[in-house]
Every structure is written in C-alpha cells, then in structure tokens.
Amino acid sequence: MLFPLGHSFWISLFDWNGQTLATWVGVGNYVDLVTDGELLASFRHALTLIVFYSVLPIVLALGLTATMSRARVRGLTFFRTALFLPQVIAMVVVATAWSAIYAPDGVLNVVLRAFGLDVLTRAWLGDFTWALPAVGLIGTWFEIGLAVVLFMAGVQRIPVELYEAARLDGAGSIREFFAITLPSLRGEISVALTLTIVAALRTFDLVYVATNGGPARETSVPAFEVYHRAFETNEVGSACAIGVTLALVILVLTVLVNRLAERES
C-alpha cells in the first residue's frame, strides 16, 4: 500500500516530463506548490468543498433523522432508499445530469423564469462566482443519503427508555435531540465526517466532467491538477508532489477527526 506513495514521492523530487531523462530538483516541486497561486487556489477550492460535501449534508441529515425517528412517516423505507440512491450512481452520470440542470436552458433556469426570477438565471457552471458553489451543491445532494443511512442506523440503537424518561421530565423534541440523539450519534457523525471529507478532497470526476476546472480555474481542485499536470502539460514531478501533499492533507484531517471523536467519547 505504501509503495505507490513512496514511488510518487521519489518522482516528485525530479523535474520529469514522463518520457525523457528526469532532472533532480529536490524539494523544488514542493516549493512551487506553496508559491504557485493556481495550485494554492486549488487547495482552497477543495477546503471550500468540504463545507458542501461534509458540513451541509451532516447538518441536513441530522435534521432529517430527528424528524423521521420521532414521527411516523409513511413510506420511510422508500425515502431512505431514494436518499441513498445517488451513492450507487456513477459520478460521471451524476455530473452529466447536473450539467444539464445547470445549463443556461436547463431545468433550474426554467423554474426560476417560471417564478419571475429571471434576474437570478445564469450559466451556473460558467459563472466565476457561482461555479464552485454549484459544484459543491452536487456534492451535498450526493452525500446526504450516506449520512442519513448512517444516522438512522445509529438512532435505532438508542434505548427507547431514554426518550420516555426525557418526556416524563417534560423535555421537548429539541431538548431530546441535543440531550439524547446528538450525543448518541457521536460515532456515526465521526464516520460520516471522515468519509465525506475524504470524498471532498479527492473530488476529480465531478469537476472534470462538469467544468473541466473552469471557468478560469475557478473550480480546479488538487486531484484535477494532478491529472492536468501529469497528462496535459507533462509535469509529472509536479503532479506527484501535488498528489503526495493531498494524501498528507487527507491523512492529517482524518486523524484529527478521529482524535476529536475519541476525546469527546
């Protein structure tokens, strides 16, 4: 498992186009990584996507879980299956479908015009301001089902007696949620955070199909930069440096999330 990572690190120490002899540059590719504005922006974009891939889905899933676990919802199995459905669809298909929705003549703009909100219509994936949030909302739609399934499984393990005792003490639904449901789901929240943060940081196919990193690199992320540099500009050493750095960022964030969860428990 460590051999590919170690080999990538070794290549990252060279200036190599993938065909001719490589030139030793030491940590030069890593220095470029922290001084190149485009590369730094790609890492900022990836951190922004964490809000859409991780924070929003988990907050929304907690609200849905609290609602569905407390009220008797007809067709609960259908709703859970529908929410989880995006997880079984290939990301290329998801990106293609959402590209059509976000198109200038797509469903989103048609709905906005139907409500007289023409001023809000735009080419969402070509807009310098809205392209990255538009990509991020696809991630929110994709990840929310995973979080709901995890939290619903966790809620079923909470003893009913705890809720009955809380209601006898006069606790309302909001107090029940913060006193019983949320603390009991700490483990599931940790798992959801880890999975969604990793998904946000290694996003590639969604960006490649939906925006190809544009407009003007506004949606470029580290994984896309690895592909771009390795196969389009023949900067294999630089691509490996980005890949190794991205792997370290994912490792550090994963360890931090798990350490925080262990400390809280």
Side-chain angles (χ1 to χ4, degrees), residues 87-108:
Q87 290 285 324
V88 300
I89 302 175
M91 186 55 83
V92 173
V93 177
V94 171
T96 304
W98 276 94
S99 296
I101 293 172
Y102 281 139
D105 57 348
V107 174
L108 180 55

Side-chain angles (χ1 to χ4, degrees), residues 5-20:
L5 185 61
H7 190 59
S8 296
F9 175 71
W10 175 248
I11 295 176
S12 72
L13 302 177
F14 293 86
D15 179 14
W16 185 40
N17 62 12
Q19 297 176 355
T20 57

Side-chain angles (χ1 to χ4, degrees), residues 141-202:
W141 174 82
F142 186 80
E143 299 293 348
I144 191 171
L146 172 67
V148 168
V149 170
L150 283 172
F151 297 160
M152 288 299 293
V155 161
Q156 291 174 358
R157 292 188 294 100
I158 302 175
V160 180
E161 292 78 10
L162 288 178
Y163 289 105
E164 293 175 346
R167 287 166 194 166
L168 287 174
D169 290 338
S173 57
I174 295 177
R175 189 174 172 189
E176 277 184 20
F177 174 76
F178 284 103
I180 300 174
T181 307
L182 193 58
S184 302
L185 291 179
R186 190 179 294 115
E188 286 77 10
I189 293 173
S190 171
V191 173
L193 271 174
T194 302
L195 293 176
T196 53
I197 286 174
V198 171
L201 291 176
R202 64 181 177 85

Side-chain angles (χ1 to χ4, degrees), residues 3 15 18 64 196 204:
F3 176 76
D15 179 14
L64 287 171
T196 53
F204 167 72

Side-chain angles (χ1 to χ4, degrees), residues 21 48 67 75 83 152 162 179 198 222:
L21 289 176
T48 302
T67 303
L83 286 169
M152 288 299 293
L162 288 178
V198 171

Side-chain angles (χ1 to χ4, degrees), residues 1 54 63 132 138 154 164-165 169 176 194 198 234 241 244-245 253:
M1 183 179 70
S54 187
L132 187 61
I138 301 174
E164 293 175 346
D169 290 338
E176 277 184 20
T194 302
V198 171
N234 296 325
V244 170
T245 305
L253 288 179

